[in-house]
């Protein structure tokens, strides 16, 4: 097996062991009792009213669960919006949906992410076929890479809601040169790293419709000029949805 597959299987076994331990002994462990993760390891249980970098890291992973038309702020403050997103995440994976992020929630996240912090169903390589160092766009390379990772977590949530079906990416990050070469808009979200074009199945309209629930403020699809062969998702400062053929 590939190393990444072995690593994921190990995380899955550790999650099962922890769940069994908490069930048999009846002790409430802190998040520090969970196994270490190659990307990020939480050290405390998080709940509404708390703040810090660990809250922000949680927000990134549940950014695809803000509810219809909403976008979850990545501000490190565990407010009502974060609590609601955590509840939706917990419901999506059959966990106790109390809005408190503890060992079970964190272990589910660990099982969903690779050591480079991307979700298991997506990768930096498929998101960036333009230039490997992520430079030349509208933001710094590190910001473009971060923006891409957040959008990947949103797609991971969307993928789950669609029944764990594969989602096919035709275009992700673009430098200005790459964007110009394909005739992209001058203000394209691809230049910022968070823009992504999806093709194939599910249908383009199904993709556009579902995306409304997963934190994408920019949705362009069939019926919008130049988008009859793909559905575009991104994160504009204000909502920009248009897929007339799909009723959006």
């Amino acid at each position: 097996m590939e190393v990444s597959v072995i690593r994921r299987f190990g995380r899955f076994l550790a999650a099962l062991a922890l769940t069994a331990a908490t069930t048999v002994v009846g002790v409430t462990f802190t998040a520090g009792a969970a196994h270490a993760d190659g990307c990020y390891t939480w050290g405390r249980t998080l709940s509404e009213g708390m703040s810090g970098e660990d809250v922000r890291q949680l927000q990134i992973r549940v950014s695809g669960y803000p509810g219809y038309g909403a976008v979850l702020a990545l501000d490190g403050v565990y407010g009502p919006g974060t609590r609601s997103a955590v509840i939706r995440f917990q419901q999506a994976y059959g966990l106790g949906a109390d809005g408190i992020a503890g060992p079970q929630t964190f272990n589910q996240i660990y099982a969903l992410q690779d050591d480079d912090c991307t979700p298991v169903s997506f990768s930096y390589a498929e998101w960036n076929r333009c230039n490997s160092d992520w430079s030349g766009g509208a933001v710094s390379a590190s910001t473009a890479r971060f923006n891409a990772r957040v959008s990947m977590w949103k797609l991971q949530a969307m993928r789950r809601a669609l029944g764990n079906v594969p989602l096919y990416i035709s275009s992700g990050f673009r430098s200005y040169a790459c964007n110009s070469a394909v005739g992209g808009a001058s203000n394209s979200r691809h230049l910022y790293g968070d823009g992504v074009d999806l093709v194939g199945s599910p249908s383009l309209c199904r993709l556009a419709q579902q995306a409304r629930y997963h934190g994408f403020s920019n949705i362009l699809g069939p019926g919008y000029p130049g988008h009859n062969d793909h559905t575009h998702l991104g994160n504009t400062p204000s909502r920009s949805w248009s897929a007339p053929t799909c009723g959006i």
Side-chain angles (χ1 to χ4, degrees):
M1 292 191 292
E2 296 182 358
V3 173
S4 61
V5 174
I6 295 172
R7 186 179 296 123
R8 291 174 202 167
F9 185 64
R11 286 202 289 261
F12 174 72
L13 290 179
L16 286 180
L18 178 64
T19 301
T22 56
T23 300
V24 173
V25 180
V27 176
T28 300
F29 290 89
T30 65
H35 62 283
D37 184 72
C39 168
Y40 185 86
T41 301
W42 282 268
R44 59 174 179 163
T45 293
L46 301 175
S47 59
E48 190 169 359
M50 301 175 76
S51 62
E53 178 60 19
D54 51 359
V55 174
R56 180 174 171 273
Q57 291 294 328
L58 173 64
Q59 289 170 329
I60 292 169
R61 276 68 170 186
V62 300
S63 59
Y65 292 92
Y68 181 89
V71 177
L72 183 65
L74 308 180
D75 57 5
V77 177
Y78 206 120
T82 299
R83 180 179 183 276
S84 293
V86 169
I87 288 174
R88 293 187 186 96
F89 174 85
Q90 292 168 330
Q91 290 172 333
Y93 288 95
L95 306 177
D98 57 4
I100 298 172
Q104 285 192 331
T105 299
F106 295 139
N107 279 329
Q108 182 61 66
I109 292 174
Y110 297 150
L112 285 171
Q113 72 182 2
D114 285 324
D115 286 348
D116 64 358
C117 303
T118 60
V120 294
S121 300
F122 303 96
S123 70
Y124 286 124
E126 69 178 328
W127 204 277
N128 180 6
R129 300 185 181 99
C130 174
N131 58 331
S132 59
D133 64 3
W134 295 77
S135 64
V139 293
S140 69
S142 61
T143 297
R145 191 177 170 91
F146 172 79
N147 290 345
R149 178 156 55 95
V150 174
S151 282
M152 287 183 209
W153 280 102
K154 293 181 179 184
L155 281 188
Q156 188 72 36
M158 183 169 152
R159 185 180 188 276
R160 179 72 176 181
L162 289 168
N164 292 321
V165 297
L167 298 181
Y168 301 99
I169 296 172
S170 63
S171 183
F173 169 73
R174 300 175 192 158
S175 65
Y176 277 107
C178 292
N179 191 58
S180 177
V182 299
S186 60
N187 63 343
S188 171
R189 295 309 303 180
H190 293 281
L191 298 165
Y192 295 82
D194 58 69
V196 60
D197 293 343
L198 301 178
V199 295
S201 60
S203 72
L204 299 181
C205 279
R206 185 73 183 93
L207 293 168
Q209 291 161 349
Q210 188 63 46
R212 297 174 295 178
Y213 296 87
H214 299 290
F216 291 103
S217 57
N218 184 213
I219 303 172
L220 303 174
Y224 185 81
H227 289 71
N228 287 324
D229 61 352
H230 68 279
T231 290
H232 167 84
L233 307 177
N235 298 293
T236 46
S238 58
R239 186 187 298 182
S240 176
W241 292 356
S242 183
T245 301
C246 313
I248 299 174

